[in-house]
Amino acid sequence: MKILLLDKNHPLITEQLSAKGFLLEEDFTSTYDEVLKKIETYDGIIIRSRIPIDKNFIEHAKNLKFIARVGAGMENIDVEFAHKSGIKLISSPEGNRDSVAEHVVGMLLILMNRLFIASTEVKNGIWKREENRGDELLGKTFGIIGYGNMGKAVAKRLSGFGVSVIFHDIIPNLSDEFATQTTMETLYRDADILSLHLPLSAETNYLIDEEFISKMKKDFYFINTARGKNVKTQDLVKAIKSGKIKGAALDVLEYEKASFENIESGNEDLQYLLHSEKAILTPHIAGWTVQSKEKLAQVIVDKILSDFSKS
């Protein structure tokens, strides 16, 4: 099989697949239109987010048997049309779930204990104790929306913190030793902290908006390591200003470009978040560790070999 790699990833992908007899070609610079001219000669492609795999792309890829994304989300792919075209879709959420979980807990602890603010002040000769009094996780209810690989990993990490973890998911009967499945009504009522672990779809686009926030009974902390467009930033900022959202830890932003490589600056709400002490922002790196880079690649290789290797 002939495979085209459209993004840079861990070299083990090329090494291991080549060793199994696959023919791999790397192309990290060609544009969408340039790739279209040659895509029909490939049996598989391995991507991250650089090039959208839309209906037009798939129609040109007449021999394509699989699309493998090194990551979790598949919103950059026309999933429905790919399925109709008989193309196998492969992703690797197992590879960075641990990284995401640690990032969630890390951001939350920094936010609730004002660690970044206090550290910056001390380094600038400012010594404030009462003003930097923290807020403990112990005894709080941690709410998760989406209990897949990421949500489960977060719940597992929280097991030693003395929190009650609840979650909502459209798939039933997912409760385990780390978290209890609930209705959205229960989550609205009980959650002190809310963390998103959802794909981006028509149903989840702007899920967190003014109406959703108004249903939360408590003032709460908010974490998003899923997708920026799961949240309507204008409404998030309004809730931070009012105190309804006590603080936000955001690894993803509505204003990210489709490739996740940068953000569109100049927006008033984004500027507020950039300068607010109640917001912690990171550049879409929750799943971005030294270890996850290798694990993501290994999961992709293992799945390709499982489905397409003859040896």
Side-chain angles (χ1 to χ4, degrees), residues 12-246:
L12 72 79
I13 292 179
T14 300
E15 294 166 2
Q16 294 186 18
L17 290 179
S18 295
K20 290 293 185 178
F22 292 84
L23 301 176
L24 281 85
E25 178 183 324
E26 297 177 346
D27 185 348
F28 307 144
T29 59
S30 289
T31 65
Y32 174 94
D33 290 332
E34 290 169 340
V35 174
L36 280 191
K37 294 177 183 178
K38 62 178 182 178
I39 193 59
E40 67 177 352
T41 66
Y42 295 93
D43 300 291
I45 55 174
I46 299 176
I47 64 168
R48 283 210 317 259
S49 303
R50 186 173 68 88
I51 289 180
I53 311 301
D54 56 15
K55 181 179 179 181
N56 181 53
F57 187 103
I58 294 169
E59 287 176 335
H60 280 75
K62 300 185 185 301
N63 293 307
L64 206 60
K65 297 176 179 62
F66 73 84
I67 300 168
R69 181 169 187 271
V70 184
M74 305 290 274
E75 70 274 8
N76 209 36
I77 302 168
D78 189 330
V79 172
E80 183 178 354
F81 190 71
H83 284 150
K84 287 181 179 178
S85 302
I87 297 171
K88 174 81 173 182
L89 298 181
I90 301 170
S91 62
S92 54
E94 306 91 337
N96 63 352
R97 59 189 174 191
D98 297 316
S99 172
V100 169
E102 292 187 11
H103 197 91
V104 167
V105 175
M107 284 201 300
L108 185 60
L109 292 173
I110 289 170
L111 183 67
M112 293 178 66
N113 292 283
R114 297 176 58 86
L115 298 181
F116 182 76
I117 297 166
S119 176
T120 301
E121 288 176 351
V122 172
K123 288 181 178 181
N124 285 281
I126 301 169
W127 190 268
K128 294 181 179 180
R129 298 185 67 225
E130 185 58 37
E131 293 86 346
N132 286 309
R133 190 180 288 274
D135 190 7
E136 295 181 8
L137 269 173
L138 182 66
K140 288 185 170 55
T141 297
F142 191 106
I144 295 172
I145 302 182
Y147 205 62
N149 281 280
M150 309 305 173
K152 290 176 182 177
V154 170
K156 186 176 181 180
R157 290 306 183 287
L158 290 168
S159 60
F161 282 90
V163 299
S164 173
V165 183
I166 60 175
F167 69 89
H168 178 77
D169 196 289
I170 59 173
I171 300 173
N173 304 317
L174 295 178
S175 294
D176 57 25
E177 61 186 301
F178 303 112
T180 302
Q181 190 160 9
T182 67
T183 63
M184 279 305 302
E185 287 68 29
T186 299
L187 191 143
Y188 289 139
R189 184 191 68 206
D190 294 345
D192 299 290
I193 302 155
L194 180 64
S195 186
L196 294 190
H197 300 282
L198 296 163
L200 182 63
S201 66
E203 292 74 28
T204 65
N205 188 69
Y206 287 162
L207 174 70
I208 308 302
D209 59 6
E210 186 172 20
E211 180 181 0
F212 184 103
I213 293 168
S214 69
K215 293 178 181 178
M216 297 290 286
K217 301 304 180 186
K218 302 178 184 179
D219 296 344
F220 66 101
Y221 295 98
F222 178 70
I223 311 165
N224 189 15
T225 54
R227 289 293 183 262
K229 287 185 170 60
N230 290 140
V231 180
K232 191 170 185 180
T233 310
Q234 181 179 4
D235 294 348
L236 174 74
V237 167
K238 183 178 179 180
I240 293 174
K241 288 179 177 178
S242 73
K244 181 66 178 179
I245 291 180
K246 298 163 74 172

